[in-house]
């Protein structure tokens, strides 16, 4: 495969904002695509901008011409909108597509039929069909849960509020990667196109449990700090409750609750086995690194 030089970034939310500088630092010519011209004002001078109508395959096809790769970081509620994007990319001659599928479980057959994974699987199938026909290459970049979600946003332990809702003993390890490291992994995929062709790559900075984060929080917090710790005594039952809630009322609040349950309940293996860290240059964090992250969240 020819080297990738021109990269389109679709979506500039939380993760997209981390991916953009990683792509620039890796030496790619980056174009950010969005619906409105006003979004170009906040971009660095060396990053191009293009307006595109995501409702029109013809518009996307014209916009994508000349791009070697597309990196999608669109939000969860728009996952299926990637299918016409992929169609347009194929017609435009794009070589590689990285979908918004930065998760622990979408490639795990045991979890494939969970409601939150069905749109992800549909996009994977769409990419695989084109790949088998030799018309497009893809890479799924599995980074585990973002470390910020576990530590800063309270998925595992609410360090700001000094509280935790443990799933059982809270000892289920979860692969996690910071936004910055995950973004660098995305850029590294495009620097290693042959080694990452038509497959999922797996990276994490560490595997960590609720109990570990809580223990570090208690160690670092000032003496006498009061913690409120509750526990789901039957994690499987709580997981089932959340699954039924999504099936009955599939909205973001119930879906997010099920995603947390999928990560922490122990129903699924959330720690990656074989890793592509060496290929993609992702460094494993030490316990001192983790302590520093926990201390920052406590402050």
């Amino acid at each position: 495969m020819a080297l990738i030089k021109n990269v389109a970034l679709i979506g500039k939310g939380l993760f997209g904002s981390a991916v953009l500088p990683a792509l620039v630092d890796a030496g790619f010519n980056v174009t950010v695509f969005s619906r409105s011209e006003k979004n170009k004002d906040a971009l660095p001078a060396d990053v191009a901008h293009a307006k595109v109508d995501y409702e029109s395959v013809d518009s996307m096809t014209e916009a994508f011409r000349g791009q070697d790769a597309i990196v999608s970081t669109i939000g969860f509620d728009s996952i299926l909108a990637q299918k016409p994007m992929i169609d347009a990319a194929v017609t435009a001659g794009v070589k590689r597509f990285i979908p918004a599928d930065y998760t622990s479980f979408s490639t795990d057959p045991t979890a494939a039929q969970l409601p939150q994974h069905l749109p992800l699987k549909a996009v994977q199938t769409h990419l695989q069909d084109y790949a088998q026909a030799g018309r497009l290459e893809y890479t799924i970049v599995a980074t585990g849960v973002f470390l910020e979600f576990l530590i800063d946003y309270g998925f595992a332990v609410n360090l700001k509020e000094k509280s935790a809702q443990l799933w059982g003993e809270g000892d289920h390890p979860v692969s996690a990667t910071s936004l910055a490291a995950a973004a660098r992994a995305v850029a590294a995929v495009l620097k290693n196109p042959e080694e990452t062709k038509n497959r999922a790559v797996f990276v994490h900075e560490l595997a960590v449990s609720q109990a570990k984060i809580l223990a570090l929080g208690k160690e670092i917090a000032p003496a006498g700090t009061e913690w409120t710790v509750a526990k789901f005594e039957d994690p499987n039952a709580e997981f089932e409750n959340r699954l039924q809630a999504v099936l009955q009322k599939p909205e973001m609040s119930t879906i997010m609750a099920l995603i947390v349950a999928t990560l922490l309940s122990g129903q699924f293996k959330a720690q990656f086995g074989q890793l592509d860290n060496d290929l993609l240059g992702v460094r494993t964090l030490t316990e001192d690194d983790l302590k520093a992250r926990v201390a920052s969240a406590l402050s």
Side-chain angles (χ1 to χ4, degrees), residues 26-50:
F28 295 111
N29 303 320
V30 183
T31 301
V32 174
F33 287 84
S34 64
R35 298 178 187 274
S36 172
E37 289 285 348
K38 68 180 182 181
N39 293 322
K40 70 181 181 181
D41 296 337
L43 295 177
D46 55 351
V47 173
H49 176 271

Side-chain angles (χ1 to χ4, degrees), residues 27-278:
F28 295 111
N29 303 320
V30 183
T31 301
V32 174
F33 287 84
S34 64
R35 298 178 187 274
S36 172
E37 289 285 348
K38 68 180 182 181
N39 293 322
K40 70 181 181 181
D41 296 337
L43 295 177
D46 55 351
V47 173
H49 176 271
K51 181 182 176 182
V52 63
D53 178 4
Y54 293 124
E55 304 299 321
S56 167
V57 173
D58 289 341
S59 171
M60 289 188 287
T61 299
E62 288 305 309
F64 294 162
R65 292 194 191 281
Q67 299 297 327
D68 298 315
I70 294 175
V71 177
S72 174
T73 62
I74 62 174
F76 183 79
D77 56 348
S78 300
I79 292 298
L80 288 175
Q82 293 176 112
K83 292 179 73 174
M85 289 179 190
I86 293 164
D87 294 338
V90 169
T91 304
V94 173
K95 303 180 182 78
R96 180 68 57 95
F97 196 102
I98 297 178
D101 193 352
Y102 313 98
T103 172
S104 299
F105 299 106
S106 71
T107 59
D108 181 351
T110 66
Q113 296 307 310
L114 291 175
Q116 71 266 35
H117 295 152
L118 294 179
L120 299 170
K121 294 299 294 184
V123 171
Q124 288 178 18
T125 298
H126 204 53
L127 287 167
Q128 289 162 357
D129 288 345
Y130 277 125
Q132 289 170 5
R135 302 183 66 191
L136 181 69
E137 297 172 2
Y138 71 90
T139 309
I140 296 164
V141 187
T143 63
V145 63
F146 292 132
L147 190 57
E148 287 83 353
F149 288 1
L150 283 183
I151 292 177
D152 300 322
Y153 301 163
F155 272 34
V157 177
N158 190 328
L159 294 167
K160 294 291 186 187
E161 300 295 330
K162 313 298 187 294
S163 65
Q165 178 76 63
L166 297 181
W167 291 77
E169 298 303 315
D171 55 1
H172 184 56
V174 176
S175 283
T177 310
S178 65
L179 290 162
R184 291 192 297 270
V186 169
V189 163
L190 300 179
K191 286 290 188 181
N192 296 276
E194 195 59 37
E195 297 89 341
T196 61
K197 175 182 175 181
N198 297 340
R199 72 180 182 99
V201 295
F202 296 87
V203 298
H204 76 204
E205 288 184 296
L206 79 170
V208 66
S209 67
Q210 284 185 289
K212 181 63 174 180
I213 294 171
L214 179 60
L216 289 176
K218 289 182 175 181
E219 176 186 333
I220 295 167
T225 299
E226 293 188 5
W227 292 79
T228 302
V229 180
K231 183 186 294 187
F232 292 123
E233 297 290 352
D234 189 343
N236 292 345
E238 179 61 23
F239 175 88
E240 185 62 28
N241 289 340
R242 296 189 181 197
L243 174 59
Q244 293 304 317
V246 170
L247 295 176
Q248 294 170 20
K249 196 172 185 180
E251 55 189 23
M252 282 309 299
S253 61
T254 58
I255 291 171
M256 287 304 301
L258 179 59
I259 289 173
V260 172
T262 306
L263 283 168
L264 301 178
S265 67
Q267 289 253 21
F268 304 96
K269 184 179 179 182
Q271 178 178 357
F272 294 151
Q274 187 172 349
L275 296 171
D276 294 288
N277 282 35
D278 290 343

